[in-house]
C-alpha cells in the first residue's frame, strides 16, 4: 500500500497543478453557483441590514431576532425546505429546478442572506447615528449618505460578505440535497469531497480541500490587511 | 512532580483500557454494501449469528468500492460485496481469501412508466442501454464506484456506448437517493431489485427491463489474508463466513421477504 500521507498529498497536488479537468470543473461549479447566490442576495440583504439598524418601526425587534435564529439553522434543514418546494409535487415543482444549479443557487441564497443581514446590521449599528443625521441635514441625498456610510464601514461590510460567501461555498448539506451532486452540473467542492471520501479516493478530496483552504487563507489575510489599514495600530 | 501532560496520558490510558470490551476479539467488523443493510437482510441474519457464536458484528455499510478499500487497508475483518471482477482482483492481489458466493439477486432497469425510450421490447440489456443513449432520455448513474455502478459500466462497455451522452448524469449517491433522483427527473437507472421493492411506494416508476440471468447480482463473502494483516479478527471472520453458508443461514436468506417479495436467493453449494 503506497497510500501514505505524503503520497496522497503528492497525488492531490499533481491533480491541482496538472489542471485536472474533473477537479477544475468541480471548482468552477462551486464558484459560479456561490458567486451567483452571493451577488443576488448582496444588495437586498445590505438594504435590509441598513433598515434594521436605522429604522424604527414595529416588528423590528422581532425581525432582528428571527434573522439571528435563521443564521444558525443547519443547512440541511434549508436543503430540506428547498427540496420540498422544488420536488415534482411541491409548490414550485413546475419550475423543474430540483437537481439543477438554479435550485442550488436558491438554497444558497437562503443560507447566505441571514448572515449578510445580521452582519451588515451590526456594522450599521456600530456607527454613530448622529453622523448619519448630520450628513442628511447638510443636504446630502439618501444615496450619497448611504454611500459615505458604506465607505466608512468598508471593513465590517466586507467581513459580512466574506462570512456569507464562506458559508455557502463550504456548505454541503443543502447542495447535496438540492443539487444532487451530478457530475459536471451540480457537483461542487463540498459534495465532491463527500463523494470521493465515501469512495475511498482521498487524493481528489484532498486536492479540493486544499482549494477551499487556500481560498479561505487568501480571503482572511486580505481582510486582515484591509483591517490593518483602516485601523492603524496607534495607541 | 506530576505535570498536566502525564496526568492526561494516564487518564487516557485508563479510559482506553477500561473502556474496551473485555474480549476485543469478540467484535467482527463487516464491511458490506448498502443494499444488504438497507434491505434489512443483515438485521434479520446477524442477531441469530451473534446469539449462537457469541461474537458481535459491527456493520459498515458502504459501496462495494469503499468496502474493498477498507479491507485492503486492514480496517475491517471481513467483507461481503457484489462486484465479481473487483473481487477477483482483490483475491489475485493476495488481499482476499476464501471467496464464497452466498446469495444473489438481480438488477433491473427502472424508468418512467410510459417507457419513452421503448426499451421494453429489447432483447438484451446492452440493446436496452443503447436505446436509452440514442433516445436522448435521461439516465441516472450511481457514479460512486459501487457494485451497481461497476455493473452498469460493464454494460455500457459491452454495448459499445460511451456513457457521456447528454442525458447521462453521474450522481455519486447511494441506491435509494439515486432512485429518488431518477424519479424526480423521470429518467432511467440500473437498480438492484431489492432496493426498488423497498422504495416502490415512493416512486412513479416501473421495471422497464428485466434481464434475468444476464443481470444476476451475486454476493460474495471474503476473508482477509492474515499474512497482510495478522492482527485482525480472523477467527471471527471465518466463523461468520462458515455460518452464512450453513443450512440455517441459507434458509433464512431464502425466506427473507420485504413487502411479500423474496429479495435474495441463497446460492451456496459445496
Amino acid at each position: 500500500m503506497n497510500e501514505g500521507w505524503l503520497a496522497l498529498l503528492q497525488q492531490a497536488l499533481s491533480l491541482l497543478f496538472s489542471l485536472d479537468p474533473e477537479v477544475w470543473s468541480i471548482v468552477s461549479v462551486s464558484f459560479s453557483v456561490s458567486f451567483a447566490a452571493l451577488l443576488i442576495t448582496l444588495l437586498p440583504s445590505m438594504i435590509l441590514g441598513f433598515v434594521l439598524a436605522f429604522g424604527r418601526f414595529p416588528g423590528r425587534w422581532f425581525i432582528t431576532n428571527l434573522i439571528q435564529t435563521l443564521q444558525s439553522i443547519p443547512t440541511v434543514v434549508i436543503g430540506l425546505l428547498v427540496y420540498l418546494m422544488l420536488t415534482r409535487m411541491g409548490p414550485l415543482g413546475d419550475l423543474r429546478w430540483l437537481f439543477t444549479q438554479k435550485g442550488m443557487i436558491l438554497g444558497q441564497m437562503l443560507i447566505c442572506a441571514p448572515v449578510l443581514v445580521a452582519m451588515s446590521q451590526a456594522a450599521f449599528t456600530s456607527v454613530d447615528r448622529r453622523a448619519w443625521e448630520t450628513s442628511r441635514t447638510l443636504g446630502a441625498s439618501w444615496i450619497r449618505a448611504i454611500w459615505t456610510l458604506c465607505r466608512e464601514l468598508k471593513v465590517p461590510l466586507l467581513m459580512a460578505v466574506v462570512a456569507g460567501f464562506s458559508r455557502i461555498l463550504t456548505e454541503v448539506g443543502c447542495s447535496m440535497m438540492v443539487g444532487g451532486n451530478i457530475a459536471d452540473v451540480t457537483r461542487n467542492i463540498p459534495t465532491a469531497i463527500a463523494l470521493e471520501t465515501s469512495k475511498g479516493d482521498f487524493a481528489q478530496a484532498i486536492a479540493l480541500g486544499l482549494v477551499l483552504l487556500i481560498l479561505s487563507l487568501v480571503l482572511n489575510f486580505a481582510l486582515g490587511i484591509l483591517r490593518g489599514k483602516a485601523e492603524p495600530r496607534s495607541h | 512532580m506530576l505535570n498536566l501532560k502525564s496526568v492526561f496520558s494516564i487518564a487516557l490510558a485508563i479510559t482506553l483500557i477500561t473502556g474496551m470490551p473485555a474480549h476485543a476479539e469478540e467484535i467482527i467488523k463487516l464491511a458490506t454494501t448498502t443494499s444488504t443493510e438497507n434491505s434489512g437482510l443483515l438485521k434479520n441474519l446477524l442477531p441469530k449469528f451473534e446469539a449462537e457464536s457469541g461474537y458481535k458484528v459491527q456493520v459498515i455499510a458502504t459501496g462495494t468500492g469503499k468496502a474493498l478499500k477498507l479491507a485492503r487497508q486492514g480496517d475491517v475483518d471481513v467483507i461481503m460485496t457484489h462486484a465479481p471482477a473487483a473481487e477477483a482482483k482483490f483475491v489475485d492481489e493476495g488481499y482476499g481469501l476464501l471467496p464464497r458466493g452466498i446469495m444473489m439477486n438481480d438488477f433491473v432497469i427502472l424508468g418512467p412508466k410510459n417507457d419513452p425510450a421503448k426499451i421494453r421490447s429489447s432483447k438484451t440489456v446492452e440493446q436496452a442501454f443503447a436505446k436509452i443513449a440514442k433516445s436522448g432520455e435521461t439516465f441516472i448513474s450511481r457514479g460512486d464506484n459501487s457494485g451497481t455502478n461497476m455493473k452498469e459500466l460493464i454494460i455500457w462497455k459491452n454495448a459499445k456506448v460511451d456513457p457521456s451522452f447528454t442525458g447521462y448524469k453521474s450522481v455519486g449517491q447511494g441506491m435509494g437517493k439515486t432512485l429518488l433522483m431518477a424519479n424526480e427527473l423521470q429518467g432511467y437507472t440500473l437498480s438492484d431489485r431489492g432496493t426498488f421493492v423497498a422504495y416502490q411506494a415512493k416512486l412513479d416508476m416501473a421495471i422497464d427491463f428485466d434481464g434475468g440471468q444476464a443481470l444476476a447480482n451475486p454476493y460474495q463473502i471474503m476473508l482477509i489474508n492474515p499474512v497482510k494483516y495478522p492482527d485482525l479478527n480472523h477467527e471471527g471472520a471465518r466463523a461468520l463466513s462458515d455460518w452464512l453458508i450453513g443450512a440455517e443461514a441459507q434458509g433464512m436468506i431464502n425466506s427473507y421477504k420485504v413487502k411479500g417479495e423474496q429479495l435474495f436467493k441463497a446460492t451456496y453449494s459445496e
Side-chain angles (χ1 to χ4, degrees), chain A residues 1 3 83 87-88 98-99 176-177 179-183 187 195 197-202, chain B residues 62 65-66 69 72-73 95 143-145 169-173 177 180-181 183-186:
Chain A
M1 226 46 255
E3 295 212 341
Y83 188 103
T87 181
R88 291 181 92 81
L98 195 58
F99 308 130
M176 186 67 99
M177 291 166 90
N181 195 23
I182 299 173
R187 180 166 301 163
L195 169 66
T197 307
S198 80
K199 278 170 30 183
D201 290 343
F202 298 112
Chain B
T62 175
K66 176 77 179 287
K69 197 108 182 175
R72 214 169 261 265
Q73 291 164 345
Y95 288 97
D144 64 348
N145 214 4
K169 292 192 161 71
S170 171
V171 300
Q173 310 271 4
K177 184 74 199 286
L180 293 175
M181 286 183 72
N183 184 53
E184 283 293 337
L185 301 170
Q186 285 292 301

Side-chain angles (χ1 to χ4, degrees), chain A residues 32-119:
Chain A
S32 55
V33 167
S34 295
F35 264 125
L38 180 72
L39 285 182
I40 301 170
T41 341
L42 192 56
L43 200 59
S45 301
M46 294 261 164
I47 292 173
L48 184 57
F50 174 81
V51 169
L52 287 172
F54 281 86
R56 291 290 175 268
F57 53 91
R60 179 175 157 273
W61 178 88
F62 178 76
I63 296 175
T64 303
N65 283 289
L66 185 69
I67 282 169
Q68 294 289 351
T69 315
L70 288 178
Q71 264 195 94
S72 53
I73 287 188
T75 56
V76 282
V77 176
I78 295 183
L80 174 69
L81 186 79
V82 176
Y83 188 103
L84 289 176
M85 285 199 301
L86 296 181
T87 181
R88 291 181 92 81
M89 277 82 85
L92 301 177
D94 289 338
L95 291 175
R96 294 277 182 272
W97 275 11
L98 195 58
F99 308 130
T100 65
Q101 290 196 357
K102 285 178 186 152
M104 287 171 88
I105 292 172
L106 179 64
Q108 295 199 352
M109 284 166 63
L110 295 179
I111 295 168
C112 186
V115 178
L116 287 175
V117 175
M119 287 185 73

Side-chain angles (χ1 to χ4, degrees), chain B residues 103-177:
Chain B
M103 60 184 190
M104 57 177 281
N105 66 1
D106 65 341
F107 292 112
V108 289
I109 305 180
L110 302 178
K113 284 182 170 159
N114 62 356
D115 187 23
K118 306 272 173 291
I119 64 168
R120 282 185 197 165
S121 56
S122 308
K123 299 272 187 300
T124 64
V125 64
E126 286 81 14
Q127 203 183 358
F129 266 43
K131 275 188 186 171
I132 296 170
K134 219 179 284 168
S135 69
E137 293 295 322
T138 301
F139 184 94
I140 312 286
S141 163
R142 289 273 297 268
D144 64 348
N145 214 4
S146 59
T148 310
N149 186 212
M150 292 182 200
K151 179 76 185 177
E152 177 216 312
L153 293 176
I154 290 171
I155 300 172
W156 287 120
K157 204 170 151 209
N158 292 342
K160 300 195 173 54
V161 175
D162 183 19
S164 59
F165 53 93
T166 23
Y168 188 85
K169 292 192 161 71
S170 171
V171 300
Q173 310 271 4
M175 194 69 253
K177 184 74 199 286

Side-chain angles (χ1 to χ4, degrees), chain A residues 129-143:
Chain A
R129 210 184 151 78
R130 277 169 304 182
W132 163 258
E133 277 158 3
T134 314
S135 67
R136 286 288 289 143
T137 45
L138 285 176
S141 69
W142 267 94
I143 309 274

Side-chain angles (χ1 to χ4, degrees), chain A residues 214-232:
Chain A
I214 291 166
L215 179 83
S216 100
L217 282 175
V218 168
L219 281 179
N220 280 292
F221 274 83
L223 260 187
I225 291 166
L226 206 63
R227 197 184 305 149
K229 275 190 188 146
E231 303 157 17

Side-chain angles (χ1 to χ4, degrees), chain B residues 194-256:
Chain B
T195 312
F196 175 59
V197 169
Y199 276 73
Q200 203 160 11
K202 299 181 196 117
L203 305 174
D204 185 27
M205 293 177 86
I207 294 178
D208 283 340
F209 186 82
D210 190 333
Q213 200 54 41
L215 286 178
N217 177 24
Y219 286 81
Q220 290 201 104
I221 187 164
M222 281 188 290
L223 307 182
I224 290 153
N225 194 344
V227 177
K228 297 266 184 198
Y229 298 104
D231 55 342
L232 295 177
N233 185 357
H234 296 290
E235 263 175 56
R238 180 66 197 247
L240 178 63
S241 175
D242 286 346
W243 185 81
L244 280 172
I245 62 165
E248 186 189 16
Q250 293 278 301
M252 285 171 79
I253 291 170
N254 273 332
S255 57
Y256 182 68

